Amino acid sequence: ELIENEIRKFEEILNEEKKVGFECEKEVKKCQIERQKIIKNRSEVDKNISIEENLLEKLRAKLHEILQRAQVEEVNLPLKGNENSESEDETEERLSLEIGTQSQNLPHFSQA
């Protein structure tokens, strides 16, 4: 009878430990699912960052081209930094009109 009581105690302990183990496994699975979601989200963020960086580089190249063209065509471009200056959109619109108008009035030379 003493041995049977000891066996029951150990079986109860074993069952409790199994329950704890199952609960831990559930928690691990939840964490793994959450981790996969985070990895997927990070991948999307990295992709978006790459797209934005490529767009920024294209815009920088375009700005460089505009500044080079303005210098060649002797167009005076306002520099940003004056608090009383117009907004960026207004400046871009005005510059595109000025450059377009001035480039029509200037002789163009072919490069041979």
Side-chain angles (χ1 to χ4, degrees), residues 6-112:
E6 287 293 315
I7 290 174
R8 271 187 249 135
K9 280 184 184 179
F10 285 120
E11 285 177 346
E12 288 176 10
I13 292 172
L14 180 62
N15 287 334
E16 284 298 315
E17 292 299 320
K18 282 182 181 180
K19 287 179 186 178
V20 170
F22 289 135
E23 291 300 317
C24 288
E25 285 178 16
K26 285 182 186 178
E27 188 65 29
V28 167
K29 286 180 184 180
K30 285 180 186 178
C31 290
Q32 287 173 336
I33 290 170
E34 186 66 23
R35 180 179 178 267
Q36 290 302 319
K37 288 178 185 177
I38 290 170
I39 289 171
K40 182 180 177 184
N41 187 27
R42 180 178 178 200
S43 177
E44 290 174 14
V45 168
D46 287 343
K47 180 181 175 184
N48 288 337
I49 287 172
S50 178
I51 289 169
E52 292 295 326
E53 285 175 342
N54 288 336
L55 179 60
L56 181 60
E57 188 58 37
K58 287 178 184 178
L59 291 172
R60 283 182 180 148
K62 186 175 181 178
L63 174 62
H64 180 72
E65 178 186 332
I66 289 171
L67 293 174
Q68 289 283 343
R69 193 172 0 143
Q71 184 178 11
V72 168
E73 295 177 5
E74 297 181 359
V75 175
N76 291 325
L77 297 177
L79 298 178
K80 188 173 179 180
N82 184 353
E83 291 180 14
N84 296 328
S85 66
E86 57 199 6
S87 73
E88 275 187 63
D89 291 337
E90 292 169 337
T91 302
E92 287 178 16
E93 184 177 331
R94 185 177 52 74
L95 288 176
S96 66
L97 291 173
E98 284 180 13
I99 290 172
T101 304
Q102 289 180 2
S103 65
Q104 291 173 358
N105 296 333
L106 294 174
H108 293 282
F109 302 99
S110 64
Q111 297 177 347

